[in-house]
Amino acid sequence: MTSPPRADDAHPYLRAATAGVRHHTHVTGRVAKPEPVDRPHLDILHAHLTALQRLLDQLAEAARPPHPGAGRHLAAAHTCLWQATAAVHDAFHLLPSAAADSSECRPESLPEGPPVLTICQRHLAAGHIVRRKTTPTDLDRPPHITTCLR
């Protein structure tokens, strides 16, 4: 007999990513003076947020036909996550760029383009998906609060 699959086995990479985020949060919380935020950290955080958006979008699409209420809540979570992703993208551009200070850095010579633009490319791709499924009014709306019924 085989045991039923665990719920977290459906997305094993998500479990690993969650463990990495928890570890980073735990280590940062233990340090007496946390390191200043820099662009690479925000780029990685942005990558995690956009990956979570894709996952939420897939889950919302799968939940909608059999459970429309759950699908609506997952879609709302997707919108809230987009708002957080946009805020991280904006914060990224407000931080100073180390590449601009270095006279030896020549990102235009890289075949994949300047590294500073990878977050922008990822953000534009995620924004395209969000705007196809969400109205501008929904994107500007503050997050909703629900109470647990159980």
Side-chain angles (χ1 to χ4, degrees):
M1 279 205 312
T2 60
S3 60
R6 292 178 12 182
D8 58 358
D9 285 342
H11 303 285
Y13 60 88
L14 183 60
R15 192 174 55 225
T18 302
V21 170
R22 283 185 187 150
H23 171 74
H24 182 74
T25 304
H26 180 68
V27 169
T28 303
R30 286 190 333 207
V31 177
K33 184 178 178 187
E35 294 180 24
V37 176
D38 59 1
R39 282 182 162 201
H41 283 104
L42 291 183
D43 186 26
I44 292 168
L45 179 60
H46 188 271
H48 279 289
L49 291 173
T50 54
L52 283 173
Q53 276 185 278
R54 285 192 305 272
L55 178 61
L56 269 175
D57 192 32
Q58 291 171 358
L59 293 174
E61 289 298 319
R64 236 179 232 124
H67 308 287
R72 283 191 301 274
H73 280 285
L74 290 172
H78 182 266
T79 302
C80 291
L81 193 57
W82 168 252
Q83 292 168 339
T85 304
V88 168
H89 177 257
D90 293 345
F92 176 90
H93 286 293
L94 291 176
L95 292 176
S97 171
D101 301 335
S102 173
S103 60
E104 295 181 27
C105 180
R106 295 184 25 224
E108 65 278 358
S109 65
L110 297 173
E112 64 274 4
V116 72
L117 294 182
T118 57
I119 189 172
C120 295
Q121 292 166 348
R122 185 184 323 113
H123 195 69
L124 286 172
H128 178 72
I129 293 168
V130 167
R131 285 181 180 86
R132 277 189 322 174
K133 299 181 179 209
T134 312
T135 67
T137 304
D138 289 338
L139 293 176
D140 291 334
R141 183 179 300 150
H144 73 283
I145 308 288
T146 60
T147 56
C148 184
L149 300 174
R150 293 183 184 213

